[in-house]
């Protein structure tokens, strides 16, 4: 992340419109000197799992098809992001991005953008194994797979689906296809799978995967998140410390969300993303696009900006770029989860994109 001179910053935590005029800078800058170069793109709000910390067993009312950006609309926005706004990394998310029809072709179109962005995807892995080679050929660079348990029954308890074998096959296929480093995202749930922390790390180390534990965040559709039930970053490290010796990684973190730790002296490592108890907002370099074309400056934003209306209303590339810039200029200092007035976003994680 590169800091820029932005004049007088806003007061941290302020929710009012920034008072400082935005400088003439084409990048996605904000009033705190951050520059967003990493774009998280939700391709759909649909998912084929029903993880207990994400959505109810019966699922949700999915976004109507006419509201979802078409491939051409999406590629246009990504071209604007890359050519005009300085985005260098694009991560495809959902819901479950693999449910987007024709995704391999869409990835190939993204890989043709110039300058060529780094392309990654976060997925639950179901159905990926048979498509891994095609994604690699299309231009996908790497993949993150969500996996909260390596025990079949615990996996089914969390996801409400007996699909562990499909996820394990996806991880192996991603590695065989050269989509490395293959990363695993894991959430520990009190009373459910925290006893598997060391087993998950051992599995990752044995198979050459990069494991990242993520604190459970208040983004569930049920709005049932409870801080007292969350396994904190400190607790995660304590659990891992019962079997492994962890030392801080010497690698520079930059804007990465994970604190990295060498395991037993390395070269294996593990990451811990303490979004709640160890927020990394000061180094955030992300901007988010929902499946229906809304820009969000933060995962926890309570406001968003509609770009779909501009697209479908005949807005020029520069109109769209300027609107995107204005949204990011107003980004808050942090997500304010630890503030008394914090309000959980109306949209759940499956509709925002991870």
């Amino acid at each position: 992340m590169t800091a820029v001179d932005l004049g007088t910053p806003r007061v941290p935590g302020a929710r009012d419109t920034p008072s400082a005029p935005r400088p003439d800078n084409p990048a996605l800058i904000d009033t705190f000197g951050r520059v967003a170069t990493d774009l998280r793109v939700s391709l759909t709000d649909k998912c084929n799992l029903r993880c207990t910390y994400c959505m109810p067993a019966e699922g949700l009312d999915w976004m109507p098809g006419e509201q979802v950006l078409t491939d051409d609309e999406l590629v246009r926005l990504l071209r604007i992001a890359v050519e005009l706004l300085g985005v260098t990394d694009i991560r495809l998310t959902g819901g479950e991005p693999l449910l987007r029809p024709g995704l391999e072709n869409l990835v190939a179109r993204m890989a043709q953008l110039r300058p060529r962005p780094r392309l990654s995807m976060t997925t639950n892995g179901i159905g990926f194994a048979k498509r891994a080679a095609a994604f690699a050929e299309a231009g996908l660079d790497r993949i993150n797979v969500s996996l909260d348990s390596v025990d079949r029954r615990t996996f089914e308890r969390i996801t409400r689906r007996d699909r562990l074998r499909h996820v394990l096959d996806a991880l192996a296929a991603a590695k065989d296809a050269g989509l490395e480093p293959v990363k695993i995202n894991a959430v520990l749930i009190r009373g459910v799978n925290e006893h598997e922390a060391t087993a998950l790390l051992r599995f990752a180390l044995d198979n050459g995967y990069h494991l990242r534990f993520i604190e459970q965040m208040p983004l569930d559709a049920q709005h049932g998140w409870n801080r007292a039930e969350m396994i904190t970053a400190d607790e995660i490290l304590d659990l891992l410390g019962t079997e492994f010796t962890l030392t801080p990684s010497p690698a520079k973190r930059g804007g990465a969300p994970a604190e990295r730790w060498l395991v037993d002296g390395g070269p294996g490592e593990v990451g811990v993303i303490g979004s709640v108890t160890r927020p990394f907002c000061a180094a955030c370099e992300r901007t988010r696009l929902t499946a229906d074309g809304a820009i969000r400056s933060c995962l926890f934003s309570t406001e968003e900006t509609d770009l779909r209306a501009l697209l479908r209303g005949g807005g020029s590339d520069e109109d769209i770029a300027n609107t995107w810039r204005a949204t990011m200029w107003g980004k808050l200092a942090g997500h304010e989860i630890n503030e008394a007035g914090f309000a959980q976003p109306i949209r759940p994680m499956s509709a925002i994109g991870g």
Side-chain angles (χ1 to χ4, degrees), residues 49 123-127 145-147 155 163-172:
L49 296 182
T123 172
N124 63 30
I126 295 175
V145 178
S146 299
L147 177 66
F155 180 92
R163 306 297 293 272
L164 176 60
R165 183 73 259 163
H166 297 260
V167 181
L168 300 182
D169 289 347
L171 287 164

Side-chain angles (χ1 to χ4, degrees), residues 1-4 6 22 25-40 80-90 118 255 281-289 295-298 324-331:
M1 183 183 73
T2 302
V4 295
L6 304 178
R22 188 186 186 281
N25 187 313
L28 293 174
I29 57 177
D30 66 34
T31 57
F32 298 97
R34 296 168 298 194
V35 183
T37 57
D38 185 339
L39 172 58
R40 306 298 171 99
I80 291 169
V82 170
E83 292 181 359
L84 302 182
L85 301 174
V87 165
T88 59
D89 293 79
I90 296 174
R118 290 181 288 270
C281 304
C284 181
E285 53 191 20
R286 289 160 194 79
T287 182
R288 285 180 159 79
L289 175 65
I295 288 296
R296 301 175 65 88
S297 62
C298 173
W324 203 327
R325 292 180 183 116
T327 297
M328 297 308 296
W329 179 244
K331 184 172 182 172

Side-chain angles (χ1 to χ4, degrees), residues 40-45 91 93-95 100 289-291 350-353:
R40 306 298 171 99
V41 180
S42 176
L43 299 177
T44 178
D45 62 332
R91 177 184 296 278
T93 71
R100 175 92 178 204
L289 175 65
T290 65
S350 60
I352 297 172

Side-chain angles (χ1 to χ4, degrees), residues 17-88:
T17 303
S19 57
R22 188 186 186 281
D24 185 14
N25 187 313
L28 293 174
I29 57 177
D30 66 34
T31 57
F32 298 97
R34 296 168 298 194
V35 183
T37 57
D38 185 339
L39 172 58
R40 306 298 171 99
V41 180
S42 176
L43 299 177
T44 178
D45 62 332
K46 297 177 182 177
C47 190
N48 43 11
L49 296 182
R50 296 292 182 270
C51 295
T52 56
Y53 55 82
C54 185
M55 67 176 68
E58 63 274 16
L60 300 168
D61 292 330
W62 308 125
M63 201 177 288
E66 67 273 11
Q67 294 183 12
V68 178
L69 295 175
T70 67
D71 286 0
D72 287 345
E73 289 172 335
L74 180 57
V75 170
R76 183 184 174 197
L77 288 181
L78 299 185
R79 178 181 56 77
I80 291 169
V82 170
E83 292 181 359
L84 302 182
L85 301 174
V87 165
T88 59

Side-chain angles (χ1 to χ4, degrees), residues 204-331:
L205 293 171
D206 288 347
N207 290 279
Y209 306 138
H210 293 223
L211 177 62
R212 300 290 186 266
F213 287 101
I214 306 173
E215 286 183 339
Q216 185 181 350
M217 295 178 283
L219 289 167
D220 58 308
Q222 308 93 302
H223 285 220
W225 179 84
N226 185 331
R227 178 185 291 271
E229 297 177 359
M230 178 187 69
I231 306 294
T232 68
D234 284 345
E235 290 178 287
I236 293 169
L237 293 172
D238 287 343
L239 288 167
L240 297 178
T242 62
E243 291 189 25
F244 303 97
T245 299
L246 304 181
T247 54
S249 170
K252 292 184 178 180
R253 182 177 177 182
E259 292 182 83
R260 294 159 57 185
W261 304 82
L262 297 178
V263 180
D264 294 337
E269 65 172 37
V270 63
V272 177
I273 300 176
S275 303
V276 177
T277 65
R278 300 183 180 188
F280 42 89
C281 304
C284 181
E285 53 191 20
R286 289 160 194 79
T287 182
R288 285 180 159 79
L289 175 65
T290 65
D292 56 350
I295 288 296
R296 301 175 65 88
S297 62
C298 173
L299 186 60
F300 297 95
S301 294
T302 55
E303 298 178 352
E304 54 189 35
T305 302
D306 181 14
L307 293 186
R308 188 186 64 202
L310 269 176
L311 277 170
R312 297 180 180 178
S316 67
D317 286 0
E318 197 57 43
D319 290 336
I320 292 168
N322 283 334
T323 301
W324 203 327
R325 292 180 183 116
T327 297
M328 297 308 296
W329 179 244
K331 184 172 182 172

